[in-house]
Amino acid sequence: PLGYYQAPYIHTAVLTDLQPRTSYTYRPEVGNRTFSFTTPPVAGAAEESKPLKLGVWGDVGITNVSFAVMQSLLASEPDVALLLGDYSYADGWSPKWETFGSLMEPLMSSVASLGIPGNHE
């Protein structure tokens, strides 16, 4: 593995006072693209017209199959996506994270996500 790798961009944001089931638009400081996401419903709320939709996936990788699974998950329009570890299988090869980020951007830039580290992170 590479001994040291500096990603060209690392974005960090703290979001406060977000309202449930509300759409927000954002633009990273670097670049001119904008993205949007909708927050999940309030905890414990039951809405017959739109029940909570939870997307759960894991062992993703950076293959064509990985991309197809991401597209399928995105098409299901989840309120929240849970990624249960083993994101990119970088295994010490840090540049693979760049590939993972680019490949998964359509989902991860637009759906509230929670990730749990796996044994390959």
Side-chain angles (χ1 to χ4, degrees):
L2 295 176
Y4 179 77
Y5 175 74
Q6 178 77 33
Y9 302 106
I10 296 176
H11 302 286
T12 301
V14 176
L15 306 177
T16 60
D17 300 321
L18 298 178
Q19 300 301 309
R21 288 235 195 263
T22 303
S23 293
Y24 294 92
T25 301
Y26 66 99
R27 183 179 60 80
E29 195 171 272
V30 176
N32 58 5
R33 297 185 309 152
T34 59
F35 302 93
S36 63
F37 68 95
T38 301
T39 52
V42 67
E47 297 177 47
E48 288 184 36
S49 63
K50 187 165 184 352
L52 177 70
K53 193 181 288 187
L54 182 63
V56 180
W57 60 327
D59 293 314
V60 179
I62 53 174
T63 67
N64 290 338
V65 173
S66 308
F67 186 70
V69 170
M70 180 278 300
Q71 288 180 312
S72 179
L73 182 56
L74 182 60
S76 74
E77 300 179 348
D79 293 302
V80 178
L82 298 178
L83 178 45
L84 304 179
D86 297 341
Y87 296 39
S88 70
Y89 285 89
D91 291 325
W93 295 96
S94 298
K96 286 188 175 184
W97 284 106
E98 300 297 329
T99 302
F100 177 82
S102 296
L103 206 59
M104 300 302 148
E105 182 181 77
L107 175 72
M108 299 188 93
S109 66
S110 63
V111 175
S113 299
L114 174 64
I116 301 165
N119 62 317
H120 292 278
E121 265 64 74

